């Protein structure tokens, strides 16, 4: 379902609330919380807020839903942004942080390595899709999510957990649609007027999902869209 918040600070606060509720629920029922992070700019203040929390971080496992194909020290790295805003400020075992490797010079090799890491962590077999407790997603103004860009091959990959995305010829490592759809909870956090046209298409009764990949996200579990009023302005939410 969809929640519209008055402004970006309220959106960030609501996202934090939902993540903490899911974190406590997962730790209570399964002894750990597995979360996959989105990149880009929207979640930065959310990560800064989470960096101020004192929580049972040793029971939390951090993954990324996608990564730019750059070194972990690169300013474009999603991993670097989350570490600087959040993970470097809390007491969490290094082994609980599972970044996507981007150093094989060959994105496909790194994608396969991340796939193996997920299978061994979740004790799943090839062909099985593990269920993350929460996958945090953003949406680009073209309707992409993670690194699943419009009209790219990555959108059609259905037999892998991880694949190589492509943004204007630049490789990305990304979760696949079936992996995202296996999650117990998918939380989209979208802010800003530049997202209005894509949101209209994502929520339209009919639209080309290859053109607006966020439409492909229909998880087994809960799907929650958190929007600020600016992004939601053209949606007719009755
Ligand atoms: C990334 C993200 C990407 C992001 C959208 C929205 O690697 O860039 O995972 O999917 O969520 O591009 O980005 P903004 O939040 O910066 O608008």
């Amino acid at each position: 379902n969809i929640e519209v918040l008055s402004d970006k600070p309220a959106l960030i606060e609501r996202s934090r609330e939902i993540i903490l509720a899911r974190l406590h629920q997962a730790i209570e029922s399964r002894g750990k919380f597995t979360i996959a992070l989105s990149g880009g700019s929207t979640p930065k203040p959310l990560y800064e807020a989470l960096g101020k929390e004192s929580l049972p971080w040793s029971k939390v496992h951090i993954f990324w839903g996608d990564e730019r194909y750059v070194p972990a020290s690169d300013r474009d790295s999603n991993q670097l942004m989350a570490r600087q805003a959040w993970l470097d400020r809390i007491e969490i075992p290094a082994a609980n942080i599972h970044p996507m490797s981007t150093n094989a010079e060959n994105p496909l090799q790194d994608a396969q390595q991340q796939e193996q890491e997920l299978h061994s962590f979740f004790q799943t077999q090839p062909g099985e899709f593990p269920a993350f407790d929460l996958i945090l997603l953003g949406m680009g103004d073209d309707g992409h999510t993670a690194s699943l860009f419009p009209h790219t091959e990555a959108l059609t990959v259905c037999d892998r957990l991880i694949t190589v995305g492509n943004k204007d010829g630049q490789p990305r490592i990304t979760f696949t649609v079936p992996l995202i759809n296996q999650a117990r909870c998918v939380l989209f956090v979208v802010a800003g007027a530049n997202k209005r046209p894509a949101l209209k298409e994502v929520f339209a009764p009919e639209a080309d999902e290859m053109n607006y990949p966020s439409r492909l996200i229909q998880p087994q579990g809960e799907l929650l869209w958190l929007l600020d009023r600016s992004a939601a302005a053209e949606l007719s939410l009755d």
Side-chain angles (χ1 to χ4, degrees):
N1 51 356
I2 303 172
E3 286 186 30
V4 180
L5 287 301
S6 55
D7 56 22
K8 181 148 181 205
L11 177 69
I12 294 302
E13 175 51 24
R14 181 71 180 120
S15 310
R16 188 186 70 89
E17 264 174 30
I18 289 166
I19 290 170
L20 295 193
R22 285 275 172 171
L23 180 148
H24 289 301
Q25 178 202 30
I27 290 174
E28 251 161 60
S29 53
R30 287 179 297 279
K32 67 174 178 291
F33 177 61
T34 56
I35 180 171
L37 304 184
S38 66
S41 56
T42 303
K44 192 159 184 276
L46 169 59
Y47 298 165
E48 286 163 348
L50 291 168
K52 298 186 176 91
E53 298 282 345
S54 57
L55 291 165
W57 294 117
S58 64
K59 295 186 173 14
V60 174
H61 285 268
I62 306 279
F63 299 81
W64 277 263
D66 72 321
E67 185 56 275
R68 289 81 182 277
Y69 204 65
V70 294
S73 56
D74 188 294
R75 59 192 298 278
D76 281 347
S77 164
N78 290 336
Q79 175 189 171
L80 182 67
M81 187 271 276
R83 285 185 184 278
Q84 289 175 338
W86 170 14
L87 305 177
D88 292 348
R89 302 178 181 187
I90 58 171
E91 292 296 310
I92 183 168
N96 286 33
I97 300 174
H98 310 263
M100 289 181 161
S101 65
T102 56
N103 50 25
E105 299 301 314
N106 169 356
L108 194 57
Q109 202 175 318
D110 281 303
Q112 287 161 350
Q113 181 182 330
Q114 183 68 9
E115 177 135 357
Q116 282 153 18
E117 174 159 346
L118 291 187
H119 279 313
S120 66
F121 179 84
F122 286 99
Q123 295 298 299
T124 42
Q125 300 303 318
E128 284 181 298
F129 292 91
F132 279 81
D133 290 311
L134 190 142
I135 297 182
L136 182 62
L137 293 175
M139 188 194 73
D141 51 15
D142 60 356
H144 84 259
T145 189
S147 283
L148 299 164
F149 290 92
H151 302 295
T152 57
E153 195 188 330
L155 298 182
T156 60
V157 174
C158 55
D159 59 347
R160 313 303 303 264
L161 306 186
I162 310 284
T163 192
V164 178
N166 178 318
K167 176 178 186 176
D168 310 330
Q170 296 304 315
R172 300 279 193 92
I173 311 288
T174 186
F175 279 11
T176 58
V177 171
L179 177 59
I180 295 172
N181 283 341
Q182 194 64 22
R184 293 189 176 90
C185 176
V186 172
L187 178 61
F188 274 95
V189 180
V190 182
N194 61 316
K195 308 293 173 86
R196 283 180 198 167
L199 281 172
K200 270 184 76 174
E201 297 298 329
V202 168
F203 289 111
E206 293 300 320
D208 170 10
E209 56 195 17
M210 300 308 278
N211 206 8
Y212 298 97
S214 296
R215 284 177 73 92
L216 293 165
I217 306 307
Q218 305 293 342
Q220 307 262 356
E222 184 183 8
L223 172 60
L224 187 51
W225 284 83
L226 293 188
L227 311 174
D228 72 353
R229 192 173 291 153
S230 176
E234 292 174 25
L235 292 182
S236 52
L237 302 169
D238 34 27

